[in-house]
Amino acid sequence: MPAHEQPYHHGSLRQELLASAEVTLERDGVDKLSLRQLAREAGVSHAAPGKHFRDRQALLDALAESGFHRMTGALERAVSEAPPTARARFSSLANAYVDFALEHPGLLSLMYSNKHAPGAAETVVNAGHATMDLTVRLVSEAQAAGDIAAGDPESIALVAFATFHGVATLAAGGMLGDVPVGDVVNAASTVFWAGLSRPV
């Protein structure tokens, strides 16, 4: 179809652009992302993406926000499907986070980048807080049940995230040797939980 005959938009173009952008991000890196290229792949005019994203940065910000929402959804499902004990739910949360990080390394890097447009930065950060809020809630519930010692739930949740993000980073870089990443996650979770447990 000649360029001047390409449709201006079609269907759920925004979602299609985000999905295609993520494929490019994971395959070629963030520098290769182009709204014009995404428009060509979607079979629409080069102006069509402007209906949804004013520029490339807006696309990246939306992709990061979407990533946080998807990650939070994955962690919530993992927690809801875990055995109903605080320890098991925490372990499921940790494994789900590392799984997501390893499945979407390019997206995760974008999500935690500080190169967001000023107007979008708060939105992206707020989307990221939903995941942290889930972790804080698990810690608070475990403290209320007497499963772990008292302490600032937000600080504990932040350290937990740093721990498992570190495991994911090592695994992605091939730094775990022959040790299965699941074994490392479970060992780290066990050690972390033991440090939070009340003295007997």
Side-chain angles (χ1 to χ4, degrees):
M1 176 184 292
H4 67 277
E5 295 180 9
Q6 288 180 315
Y8 190 74
H9 61 79
H10 66 92
S12 53
L13 179 59
R14 186 179 190 277
Q15 289 306 114
E16 182 175 341
L17 291 171
L18 286 173
S20 183
E22 185 176 345
V23 171
T24 301
L25 175 68
E26 298 294 356
R27 183 187 63 217
D28 304 321
V30 68
D31 291 339
K32 298 295 185 181
L33 274 175
S34 159
L35 284 174
R36 279 181 174 268
Q37 179 61 34
L38 293 175
R40 283 194 292 270
E41 292 174 359
V44 298
S45 71
H46 67 81
K51 263 302 227 192
H52 305 282
F53 309 107
R54 67 179 178 277
D55 54 24
R56 179 176 177 275
Q57 186 59 55
L59 169 71
L60 295 177
D61 292 335
L63 194 57
E65 181 183 357
S66 172
F68 275 120
H69 289 313
R70 286 166 50 200
M71 183 172 73
T72 299
L75 300 192
E76 288 176 339
R77 285 192 297 275
V79 169
S80 68
E81 293 169 2
T85 66
R87 175 70 183 85
R89 295 168 77 200
F90 180 83
S91 180
S92 291
L93 178 81
N95 277 283
Y97 178 81
V98 173
D99 286 346
F100 187 93
L102 294 179
E103 289 170 9
H104 311 281
L107 179 61
L108 198 79
S109 178
L110 177 66
M111 288 159 57
Y112 287 116
S113 168
N114 61 358
K115 297 179 181 178
H116 303 296
E122 184 176 355
T123 301
V124 174
V125 169
N126 287 340
H129 283 169
T131 300
M132 185 62 67
D133 290 344
L134 172 61
T135 310
V136 171
R137 177 166 59 82
L138 289 184
V139 171
S140 297
E141 290 174 354
Q143 289 174 329
D147 294 324
I148 59 176
D152 178 20
E154 292 188 2
S155 295
I156 294 171
L158 183 60
V159 173
F161 252 89
T163 298
F164 297 111
H165 185 77
V167 172
T169 300
L170 291 173
M175 301 298 291
L176 297 181
D178 296 328
V179 183
V181 63
D183 291 353
V184 178
V185 174
N186 291 332
S189 180
T190 297
V191 171
F192 191 86
W193 194 259
L196 297 176
S197 299
R198 288 182 177 277
V200 178

